[in-house]
Amino acid sequence: MIEVSARAATVTDYRKLPPDDWHYQLIEGEIVNMAPARDFFHQKILLNLAAILHEWLKENQTGQVMIAPLDVYLTDTNVFQPDVLFVRNSRESIIEEDGLHGAPDFAVEILSPHTARYDLNQKGAVYAMTGVEELWLVYPQARRIDVHNLQENAEAVAASHGLGATFASPLFPGLEFRTADIFRPR
């Protein structure tokens, strides 16, 4: 009889994955294939939000914004690739050539059918435990952004912004986010 190991995968296992065109994440010890490729609207949302932050950061050089795919090493059994992330200058030492070694200050997960169950369940708890301050869960079809202030209350949605809303984040003083700009399809 063959013995099957039920141990959780670790960062060491993750780093042994073959260099191919697939994108993976390590979520609570499970290696998760992120295929199929993200759809066009998902990518537009990512690009729109990253562009808004990039422009603001040109004038307000408080940190760095990055986009997926980029490995974020959170624990020995959790390596995520948030769609958009931000790291303050005071914490830039976590940025290394192979990714982030620690929690970003801000993370955005744009939900897709293939990965939403991870984004809505395990990942939020890990983000909170490792020190992420603000997490946005973006619902493309509903055109809604749920903001979670993880260090205040990891369980609750702090605010929900639908199409037509304007809102702010304490991480980006003076910047007004408009959902119409974030969800702009072209």
Side-chain angles (χ1 to χ4, degrees), residues 63-180:
Q64 294 187 51
V65 65
M66 291 157 263
I67 61 171
L70 179 70
D71 287 331
V72 177
Y73 297 89
L74 296 167
T75 71
D76 194 46
T77 57
N78 290 288
V79 181
F80 297 172
Q81 291 188 3
D83 291 296
V84 180
L85 59 93
F86 169 75
V87 176
R88 287 187 180 109
N89 287 337
S90 62
R91 300 186 59 248
E92 70 182 3
S93 63
I94 69 170
I95 302 170
E96 296 185 22
E97 192 62 34
D98 64 342
L100 268 60
H101 290 263
D105 297 292
F106 170 79
V108 175
E109 295 288 357
I110 303 169
L111 304 184
S112 64
H114 185 70
T115 60
R117 67 186 170 112
Y118 297 104
D119 297 332
L120 294 170
N121 296 306
Q122 298 104 312
K123 290 175 79 174
V126 173
Y127 280 138
M129 174 188 72
T130 58
V132 172
E133 287 183 38
E134 191 169 320
L135 170 65
W136 290 10
L137 295 177
V138 178
Y139 296 79
Q141 300 321 105
R143 293 191 173 43
R144 185 181 88 228
I145 299 170
D146 286 353
V147 176
H148 298 260
N149 295 323
L150 297 178
Q151 300 310 306
E152 292 175 20
N153 184 346
E155 301 296 316
V157 175
S160 188
H161 306 287
L163 199 56
T166 299
F167 63 101
S169 165
L171 292 171
F172 310 101
L175 175 59
E176 285 192 341
F177 293 96
R178 291 183 247 319
T179 54

